[in-house]
Structures are given as structure tokens and as C-alpha cells.
């Protein structure tokens, strides 16, 4: 049977009807069944892109009201995956380079018919490969989700291990061994879940499995639960993969029925308890599904990131309880101003999201404008107090060419932040659509990839700011910060540029880069006779990373640096959001003889509750306490009470943001241990502060 040739759907931009017909005939004569549409205006192109799927765009480089550069910009703005070939009147190297940089696939002289056919076939084949890849990725994701659901719902106790460590366990496995949280089991050696008598048999068993690689091998052993109860089990092992990595699957089966294994899998709630909207996890999972659907079916949707303007200031004014009421009112307003087919979610403390499929970014932008106006016009009554509120909304299209969910969310977040760059919107209160063409260059520093490239390109700087002991002792301490040079050579924090739900490894890579740079310099600095210690700020991602402290141990040994030379510092908010992980991190840091500090302390409703769970050595108060000192006696008494409470808890206190000498007497009388700020010295690329002179 003759193979059916797929029809090529062709868009042509050419002022000449006859020349356009000749290009259609050329492709047909080359064996490509072709259906074409000649573009006459920007509106015509937008309608064509919205209503149909296209395989190739041929544009004549001739003087016309709507030219090829405009057409390419429209395709990029709408984020469509359509090969674009410019047909020039003669070969022009500069023009060819510029149009390819703008996103075209090639430029071919109009008279080179044979070359045009070859380029068209090449780009059509490449497009087919991209579409096939997207379809396969969608099928793979669906298969992985089915496998994950089967694993999670299985009554068999199943886990995956790598190098003898747990990397995954289903609910039945955790319940069988008495663990409530997967984080408590991850990276625990299998040996630690067996009795001493079974550990040697397990080692011999796994050695035999490594040699024979025979799936289904079994051994009888005794498991030891987290509550030290012992259970006789049969362990079977098989080769497997998890997250694309080779590993070993183990299945535990008791010699008798255990009632715990009969419990049904608990469904994780998809609802945000405060607002009743969907929560972040549900939104990101649904966004990933919709992106896959768009790639498979060539559908178009849109995502909106709704940021509450000046949220921190509003929060300070109305308090925690008032903020909860405000967020609930915002959620109700969003529901009232959106119709069916719109997915609403609360993404974080000060951000909501809307998602729709099918739709386009223009339709979503119109809906967002209605939401923006509704919020601006609404009088939020919080405990008898009228609270003004505005929102900055960023819109990103969901197309067959969209990146992964985290990066797409980053696009909407960037557009939301750029509202304040619009004329007349310096304080927000606007809507902006993300145009991929405006953010194509990696130097824009608008994505995790861009930031990591800046790090690789040597555009990161390590800065040191002295922390002086106010009690007169000659300790040498510095706080380390990382700055990045943006495209304009301005120094900015790379963490401020990361998308809100960007790549998890970006923050950890920055932290590890910072640590490697600083311990090298610190080792050299201490070798010259300085007994210097560094405060290293860590991201929430690193605090949660169980591989960090083993990596750190190796790094310290390589630098021949003692652990007590480093003090790891993380924010109070991160400590409260990830209490269990922060507690484990602190314990692991202390085992390396390093100290731990909590920064931005005192902002939580009950800050001392954090210290009940985390054995921090230092506490760095939030800079607002120093600001309040200048406003009157109430601020001074508040600072004194906070310092006294921390002293009673046995904590070493640090006051940051000290700008002038007038507060030193008060801080000394209050019992503050350390001070930091530009009064001593602004952050510097060298550890050169004269602590003796202080």
C-alpha cells in the first residue's frame, strides 16, 4: 500500500499572489501535498495562528505594510512552534544573521528554488520530530503517573534504594516500618531498618544480587521498625529505575497479615485551607498536565500570576489575623469575577493564579483587566478598617511550544513584576502579557537557566560584611552574600531573580558555589593568622537537601578547614515552613561542629516557638527592630525585651542594619552580643576589616 503523504499547512507572506502560488506549486512538485494561506495583515496572521495549526511560514523580504520582521515577532509573541524561512532578493549575510537571531530558521534567496525545497523539507522533518517528542513526553508522563499511582496505592510495601539508601518508599512501606513522613525515611540506609543479625545476611544477599542481577531474588530477615518492634519478613529485590536513574526495588512481605497494611491510601488534599481555592501543588500538577495536553493536541491556553501589591506593608498594618481575612476576601472576589473553566489557586502568601484551557493570552488579559479593576474598586473592610489593595497581573500563553510548568510559571511571574516598569504603573496595579521575544536573550537574567549561566560565566561576586562583638572581645566574623552582575553590570541578588517556583536545584547550586568560593578564601585567610568565622546564608532548598551535609563534610576536608569556622544561617520564615527539615539540618551541622544561626528573627507571631524545635546557636534579629528604636521608647523597650528573652534562652544575639553610632549605647545596655551594618563597613569583596580598631 502506498504511504499516505501528510499535508503541509503553509503560511505565505508575499505581496504578489502569483509568486505565492509559485511557492505552493514548488512544494507540491517536490512531493509535498500543500494547503496554503497568504497573510495580508497582523490581524489575519493572529486569526490564522489561533484557529489552525501550521507547519511552515515562508516570508518574502519585500517592502510591505506588514513585513516579515513583524510576522516573526507575532509568532514569537504567541509562542507558536512554526518554522520560519525568509526569502530574500539576494544573499545578504548580515540580514541572514539578524533574522536567525530573531528566531527564524533560515534565509534563502527567492531564486534558489532547489535550496528552498531542501530547507523546507529539513524544517518540516525537524518540526515532525519536535511534535513526536512532545507526544512521547506526554505519553511518558502519563505512564509515569499511572506507575506512581499504582505504587502509592499498592498494599505491598515497596521501596527504591540506591547505594543502600532509600530514595523512595510507598505508603505501605512507611507504615510497615512505622514512619509517618517520607522525609524521615529518605537517605536512611536499609541496614538501619534491619536487626544486627540480619544485616550481615543482607550484605551477602545484595552482593549476590549485584553479581547475578536476577530479578525476584528473596531472603528471609528481621525488620526493625522505628519503634524498635521487630518483624519477620521476606525481602525480594529487582532491578528498576526511578526518576530516570538506575536503582533497586525491594518489596517487604510479612510472614503474617499486619492490620496496618490494610489501611487505605489517604488522599492528599488539593485545597488551600485558608481561601478554599486550589493549593500550589494541585496547580503545578494541573499546569504540567495542561502543558502536555497542549503539546499533544496543539491547543492553546493561558496562565495568570496575580501578585498583591505592597503586601508586606499591608500585612504590617492589619496583622496576621487581618491578613487572613483579606486573603479570603480576595479569593471570593476572584471567584465572583471569573466564570466556569477557570482554575483558581492560591500560590503563596501574596500571589494567586488563574489558568484556562482552551483560551489565548489576549482573552486572559481581558479577564485579568476585569479582575484588576474589581480589586481596585473594591473596599476591603477588615475589622472595621478600610484597606486599599491593588494587584499586578502577569499573563503567559500555554502553547505546544511551552516550557515545563515551573519555567512557564516563571514567565507569568516575570510579567507580573514588570508591570511596575510600565509608564504610570510604578506602584503596580496593571496587567502585562509575557512576550517570549522580549526575554529571549539569556542575559536578561529572568530564569533559573540565565542565573546559572551568569554563575558559569563568572558574573557572580562574593561579598563580606564584618560582624563585630559589642562586648569588646576580638572575634572576627563576616557575613557572606552573593551578588550577580546583570546585563547592565548592576549588582543584584540572584535569589531575587529566581522564579517563585523555579528549578529546585538553582538555589542549591548557588549555595554550593558560594560555599566552595568562601571556604577556599577562608582557608587562605586563616592560614595567615586570622581566627575568622563566616556566616553563610542558605536557601530553603539547601536546608531541605539531605545530601548537603555529606557534601559539605567532603568540601571541608578538601579545604582542610574545621567545621567550627562556619556558621550556617537561614531565615526564620524558612525555619517555620520547613521545621522538621531545619531541625534535622541543625543536628547534622552540629555533628560537623558548625554553628547555626536564624536570621530575620522576630517576625513570626510566636518567634520563640521556633527556638523550641531548632537548637540555633545565634539569632540575628530582623532589621525592623533597629528602625523601631529611632521611632520612640516603645521600640527601644521592644528591642530590650526581645534581647533579654533570647539571652534567657541561651542564644547569642546579632543586631543587623546598624547605620549610626547613636544606637550603640542602647544596644550595649540591652545586652546585645554582635552588631552588623554599614556603620562598621559596607559589604566588601575582601575580608579586610580592622577588628582591633573597633
Amino acid at each position: 500500500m502506498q504511504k499516505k503523504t501528510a499535508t503541509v499547512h503553509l503560511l505565505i507572506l508575499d505581496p504578489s499572489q502569483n509568486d505565492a502560488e509559485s511557492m505552493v506549486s514548488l512544494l507540491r512538485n517536490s512531493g509535498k501535498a500543500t494547503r496554503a494561506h497568504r497573510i495580508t495583515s497582523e490581524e489575519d496572521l493572529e486569526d490564522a495562528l489561533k484557529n489552525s495549526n501550521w507547519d511552515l511560514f515562508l516570508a518574502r523580504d519585500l517592502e510591505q505594510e506588514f513585513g516579515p520582521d513583524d510576522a516573526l515577532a507575532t509568532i514569537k509573541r504567541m509562542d507558536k512552534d512554526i518554522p520560519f524561512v525568509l526569502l530574500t532578493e539576494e544573499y545578504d549575510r548580515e540580514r541572514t544573521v539578524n533574522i536567525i537571531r530573531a528566531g527564524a530558521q533560515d534565509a534563502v534567496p527567492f531564486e534558489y528554488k532547489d535550496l528552498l525545497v531542501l530547507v523546507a523539507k529539513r524544517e518540516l522533518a525537524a518540526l515532525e520530530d519536535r511534535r513526536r517528542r512532545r507526544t512521547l513526553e506526554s505519553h511518558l508522563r502519563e505512564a509515569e503517573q499511572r506507575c506512581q499511582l499504582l505504587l502509592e496505592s499498592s498494599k505491598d510495601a515497596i521501596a527504591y534504594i540506591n547505594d543502600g539508601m532509600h530514595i523512595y518508599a510507598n505508603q505501605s512501606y512507611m507504615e510497615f516500618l512505622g514512619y509517618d513522613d517520607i522525609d524521615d525515611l529518605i537517605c536512611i540506609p536499609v541496614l538501619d531498618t534491619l536487626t544486627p543479625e540480619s544485616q550481615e545476611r543482607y550484605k551477602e544477599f545484595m552482593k549476590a544480587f549485584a553479581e547475578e542481577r536476577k530479578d525476584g531474588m528473596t531472603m528471609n530477615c528481621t525488620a526493625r521498625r522505628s519503634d524498635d518492634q521487630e518483624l519477620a519478613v521476606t525481602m525480594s529485590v529487582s532491578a528498576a529505575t526511578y526518576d530516570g536513574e538506575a536503582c533497586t526495588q525491594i518489596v517487604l512481605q510479612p510472614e503474617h497479615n499486619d492490620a496496618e497494611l490494610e489501611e487505605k491510601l489517604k488522599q492528599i488534599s488539593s485545597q488551600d485551607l485558608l481561601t478554599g481555592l486550589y493549593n500550589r501543588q494541585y496547580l503545578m500538577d494541573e499546569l504540567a498536565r495542561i502543558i502536555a495536553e497542549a503539546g499533544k493536541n496543539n491547543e492553546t491556553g493561558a496562565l495568570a500570576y496575580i501578585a498583591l501589591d505592597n503586601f508586606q506593608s499591608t500585612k504590617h498594618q492589619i496583622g496576621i489575623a487581618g491578613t487572613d481575612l483579606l486573603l479570603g476576601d480576595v479569593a471570593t472576589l476572584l471567584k465572583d469575577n471569573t466564570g466556569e473553566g477557570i482554575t483558581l489557586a492560591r500560590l503563596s502568601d501574596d500571589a494567586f493564579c488563574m489558568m484556562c484551557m482552551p483560551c489565548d493570552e489576549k482573552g486572559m488579559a481581558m479577564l485579568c483587566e476585569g479582575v484588576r479593576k474589581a480589586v481596585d474598586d473594591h473596599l476591603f473592610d477588615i475589622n472595621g478598617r478600610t484597606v486599599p489593595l491593588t494587584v499586578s497581573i502577569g499573563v503567559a500563553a500555554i502553547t505546544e511550544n511551552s516550557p515545563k510548568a515551573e519555567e512557564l510559571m516563571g514567565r507569568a511571574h516575570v510579567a507580573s513584576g514588570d508591570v511596575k516598569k510600565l509608564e504610570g504603573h510604578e506602584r503596580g496595579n496593571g496587567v502585562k502579557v509575557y512576550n517570549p521575544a522580549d526575554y529571549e536573550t539569556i542575559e536578561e537574567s529572568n530564569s533559573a537557566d540565565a542565573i546559572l549561566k551568569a554563575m558559569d560565566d563568572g558574573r557572580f561576586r562574593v561579598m563580606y560584611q564584618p560582624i563585630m562583638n559589642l562586648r569588646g572581645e576580638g572575634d572576627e566574623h563576616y557575613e557572606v552574600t552573593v551578588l550577580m552582575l546583570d546585563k547592565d553590570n548592576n549588582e543584584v541578588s540572584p535569589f531575587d531573580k529566581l522564579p517563585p517556583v523555579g528549578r529546585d536545584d538553582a538555589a542549591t547550586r548557588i549555595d554550593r558555589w558560594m560555599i566552595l568560593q568562601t571556604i577556599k578564601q577562608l582557608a587562605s585567610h586563616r592560614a595567615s593568622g586570622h581566627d575568622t568565622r563566616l556566616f553563610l546564608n542558605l536557601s530553603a532548598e539547601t536546608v531541605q537537601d539531605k545530601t548537603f551535609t555529606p557534601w559539605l563534610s567532603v568540601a571541608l576536608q578538601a579545604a582542610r578547614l574545621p567545621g567550627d569556622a562556619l556558621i550556617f544561617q537561614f531565615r526564620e520564615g524558612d525555619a517555620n515552613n520547613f521545621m522538621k527539615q531545619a531541625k534535622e539540618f541543625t543536628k547534622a551541622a552540629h555533628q560537623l561542629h558548625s554553628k547555626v544561626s536564624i536570621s530575620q528573627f522576630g517576625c513570626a507571631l510566636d518567634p520563640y516557638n521556633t527556638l523550641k524545635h531548632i537548637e540555633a546557636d545565634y539569632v540575628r534579629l530582623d532589621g525592623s527592630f533597629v528602625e523601631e528604636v529611632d521611632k520612640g521608647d516603645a521600640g527601644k523597650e521592644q528591642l530590650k525585651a526581645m534581647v533579654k528573652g533570647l539571652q534567657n534562652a541561651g542564644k547569642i544575639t546579632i543586631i543587623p542594619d546598624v547605620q549610626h553610632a547613636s544606637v550603640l549605647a542602647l544596644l550595649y545596655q540591652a545586652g546585645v552580643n554582635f552588631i552588623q551594618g554599614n556603620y562598621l563597613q559596607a559589604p566588601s569583596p575582601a575580608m579586610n576589616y580592622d577588628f582591633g580598631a573597633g
Side-chain angles (χ1 to χ4, degrees):
M1 178 182 291
Q2 186 176 4
K3 183 179 180 181
K4 183 179 179 180
T5 303
T7 300
V8 175
H9 293 81
L10 175 67
L11 288 174
I12 300 176
L13 181 66
D14 194 320
S16 169
Q17 178 77 26
N18 292 333
D19 287 346
E21 291 287 359
S22 70
M23 285 185 275
V24 176
S25 299
L26 183 67
L27 287 179
R28 286 174 178 164
N29 294 336
S30 70
K32 296 290 185 182
T34 305
R35 293 182 60 185
H37 173 71
R38 188 166 72 95
I39 299 299
T40 57
S41 66
E42 181 178 6
E43 293 76 15
D44 184 23
L45 176 57
E46 287 188 0
D47 289 341
L49 294 177
K50 288 178 182 178
N51 298 323
S52 301
N53 299 317
W54 302 95
D55 306 310
L56 185 64
F57 196 113
L58 300 179
R60 287 290 295 279
D61 198 16
L62 296 174
E63 187 71 28
Q64 44 192 318
E65 185 176 348
F66 182 64
D69 296 278
D70 300 323
L72 181 57
T74 300
I75 292 173
K76 288 295 180 182
R77 172 172 59 81
M78 298 183 69
D79 202 22
K80 292 294 183 179
D81 185 9
I82 304 174
F84 186 101
V85 179
L86 181 70
L87 304 178
T88 61
E89 295 309 291
E90 59 184 15
Y91 178 72
D92 185 333
R93 179 180 179 276
E94 183 177 357
R95 176 64 168 147
T96 299
V97 170
N98 288 336
I99 199 70
I100 291 177
R101 280 179 174 169
Q105 274 60 49
D106 212 335
V108 178
F110 180 69
E111 298 300 326
Y112 292 6
K113 307 298 184 183
D114 52 351
L115 180 58
L116 174 57
V117 170
L118 291 174
V119 169
K121 288 184 175 180
R122 180 193 69 196
E123 294 305 325
L124 289 170
L127 177 65
E128 181 62 27
D129 287 342
R130 291 196 296 274
R131 288 175 173 171
R132 187 181 298 113
R133 186 200 68 220
R134 286 194 286 262
T135 300
L136 291 174
E137 286 176 347
S138 176
H139 291 332
L140 176 61
R141 181 178 179 277
E142 291 172 356
E144 289 176 339
Q145 286 181 331
R146 287 195 296 270
C147 290
Q148 188 72 20
L149 287 173
L150 288 172
L151 281 171
E152 290 293 343
S153 60
S154 176
K155 293 182 179 180
D156 291 331
I158 303 173
Y160 290 152
I161 62 172
N162 190 6
D163 292 333
M165 311 285 281
H166 290 91
I167 59 175
Y168 166 81
N170 69 357
Q171 189 70 21
S172 297
Y173 189 94
M174 290 190 293
E175 292 173 353
F176 186 78
L177 293 180
Y179 289 91
D180 296 324
D181 195 324
I182 185 64
D183 291 335
D184 295 335
L185 190 61
I186 291 298
C187 293
I188 287 182
V190 177
L191 283 174
D192 288 356
T193 65
L194 301 175
T195 60
E197 296 76 14
S198 296
Q199 290 178 0
E200 289 302 320
R201 294 207 307 273
Y202 169 79
K203 293 177 183 178
E204 294 298 324
F205 173 68
M206 294 305 295
K207 181 179 179 181
F209 174 70
E211 295 173 352
E212 299 180 24
R213 304 304 295 175
K214 181 180 178 181
D215 290 345
M217 293 178 61
T218 62
M219 69 167 283
N220 294 323
C221 57
T222 303
R224 183 174 58 191
R225 288 167 45 92
S226 62
D227 57 7
D228 292 332
Q229 180 183 350
E230 296 183 359
L231 299 172
V233 299
T234 299
M235 176 188 294
S236 61
V237 296
S238 303
T241 59
Y242 187 72
D243 277 347
E245 299 292 334
C247 61
T248 301
Q249 174 184 283
I250 63 175
V251 180
L252 299 182
Q253 294 178 326
E255 294 183 359
H256 58 84
N257 291 328
D258 196 310
E260 289 183 321
L261 293 178
E262 300 300 323
E263 293 185 7
K264 294 181 179 180
L265 180 65
K266 296 181 180 179
Q267 297 297 322
I268 299 176
S269 174
S270 62
Q271 189 179 53
D272 176 60
L273 298 179
L274 177 62
T275 63
L277 304 180
Y278 288 116
N279 59 22
R280 167 180 164 173
Q281 185 59 52
Y282 175 87
L283 176 77
M284 297 309 295
D285 290 344
E286 187 69 6
L287 178 58
R289 184 190 67 79
I290 286 180
I291 291 174
E293 185 176 308
K296 185 167 57 175
N297 302 325
N298 283 326
E299 291 186 334
T300 300
L303 174 75
Y305 184 97
I306 307 170
L308 308 186
D309 295 325
N310 302 315
F311 179 74
Q312 291 301 325
S313 175
T314 302
K315 184 177 180 180
H316 286 309
Q317 292 176 13
I318 62 178
I320 300 296
T323 301
D324 290 347
L325 294 174
L326 178 65
L327 293 173
D329 287 350
V330 172
T332 300
L333 199 63
L334 291 176
K335 295 175 188 176
D336 293 342
N337 286 272
T338 54
E340 295 183 2
I342 302 293
T343 300
L344 291 172
R346 182 184 175 210
L347 185 65
S348 62
D349 283 348
D350 60 348
F352 293 81
C353 275
M354 295 194 301
M355 185 168 58
C356 181
M357 172 78 92
C359 68
D360 57 48
E361 75 274 19
K362 284 192 173 180
M364 177 63 86
M366 291 178 61
L367 176 63
C368 290
E369 178 58 30
V371 169
R372 181 208 64 77
K373 189 175 186 305
V375 173
D376 192 20
D377 293 342
H378 188 75
L379 297 177
F380 293 93
D381 187 354
I382 307 300
N383 297 326
R385 178 177 182 177
T386 300
V387 178
L389 185 67
T390 61
V391 292
S392 295
I393 307 178
V395 178
I398 303 172
T399 70
E400 78 278 3
N401 198 39
S402 290
K404 293 183 178 180
E406 293 80 6
E407 187 68 21
L408 186 65
M409 180 64 72
R411 288 183 172 187
H413 175 255
V414 167
S416 172
D418 284 352
V419 166
K420 294 182 179 179
K421 297 180 182 179
L422 300 175
E423 186 176 356
H425 293 272
E426 290 76 12
R427 302 183 68 179
N429 194 20
V431 178
K432 181 175 175 59
V433 176
Y434 181 94
N435 181 355
D438 294 339
Y439 300 91
E440 280 181 337
T441 56
I442 196 96
E443 288 76 20
E444 290 289 344
S445 301
N446 50 48
S447 68
D449 287 330
I451 294 167
L452 294 178
K453 185 177 188 301
M455 183 174 67
D456 294 337
D457 290 346
R459 290 192 283 117
F460 270 40
R461 301 286 184 269
V462 176
M463 307 295 283
Y464 303 89
Q465 186 173 39
I467 300 176
M468 188 180 74
N469 193 322
L470 197 58
R471 319 317 294 180
E473 300 170 14
D475 302 292
E476 294 189 9
H477 292 82
Y478 291 89
E479 182 188 41
V480 179
T481 55
V482 176
L483 296 177
M484 177 182 76
L485 294 178
D486 64 13
K487 61 185 180 65
D488 298 320
N489 283 327
N490 296 318
E491 291 184 340
V492 298
S493 169
F495 295 97
D496 291 342
K497 294 292 184 178
L498 283 175
V501 285
R503 285 169 37 181
D504 289 342
D505 64 338
T508 56
R509 282 189 59 185
I510 295 172
D511 285 346
R512 294 194 183 196
W513 179 89
M514 175 263 293
I515 290 169
L516 288 177
Q517 299 300 314
T518 54
I519 63 176
K520 291 177 185 176
Q521 295 187 42
L522 181 59
S524 175
H525 191 66
R526 288 169 67 96
S528 63
H530 296 273
D531 186 20
T532 303
R533 291 173 172 79
L534 299 181
F535 284 77
L536 303 177
N537 291 293
L538 299 182
S539 64
E541 288 79 2
T542 293
V543 173
Q544 299 174 75
D545 184 4
K546 290 183 178 295
T547 68
F548 173 75
T549 46
W551 172 86
L552 175 65
S553 176
V554 174
L556 289 173
Q557 291 178 20
R560 297 183 179 179
L561 196 67
D564 64 2
L566 303 180
I567 302 158
F568 293 103
Q569 186 166 263
F570 46 85
R571 296 178 298 180
E572 179 188 67
D574 292 335
N576 289 328
N577 289 335
F578 308 100
M579 185 73 74
K580 181 180 294 184
Q581 295 92 330
K583 181 178 181 180
E584 291 299 320
F585 174 88
T586 302
K587 181 179 178 181
H590 285 161
Q591 289 175 349
L592 294 176
H593 305 291
S594 296
K595 303 294 186 182
V596 170
S597 172
I598 297 179
S599 64
Q600 297 182 6
F601 187 84
C603 295
L605 201 58
D606 181 9
Y608 293 101
N609 183 60
T610 308
L611 301 179
K612 292 178 182 177
H613 301 279
I614 299 175
E615 292 292 333
D617 306 283
Y618 295 79
V619 171
R620 183 177 182 265
L621 271 67
D622 188 72
S624 60
F625 283 91
V626 178
E627 296 176 4
E628 295 296 325
V629 166
D630 293 331
K631 296 181 180 179
D633 293 336
K636 296 176 182 178
E637 293 304 318
Q638 185 182 29
L639 175 63
K640 290 180 180 178
M642 179 67 73
V643 172
K644 183 177 181 181
L646 291 171
Q647 286 179 333
N648 292 337
K651 306 304 176 185
I652 301 173
T653 53
I654 306 170
I655 299 296
D657 300 340
V658 176
Q659 305 297 333
H660 48 80
S662 60
V663 298
L664 294 183
L666 172 68
L667 298 179
Y668 184 88
Q669 292 171 4
V672 171
N673 300 103
F674 289 86
I675 61 170
Q676 175 188 6
N678 290 348
Y679 167 72
L680 298 178
Q681 180 178 288
S684 167
M687 290 179 275
N688 56 7
Y689 182 75
D690 186 359
F691 287 88

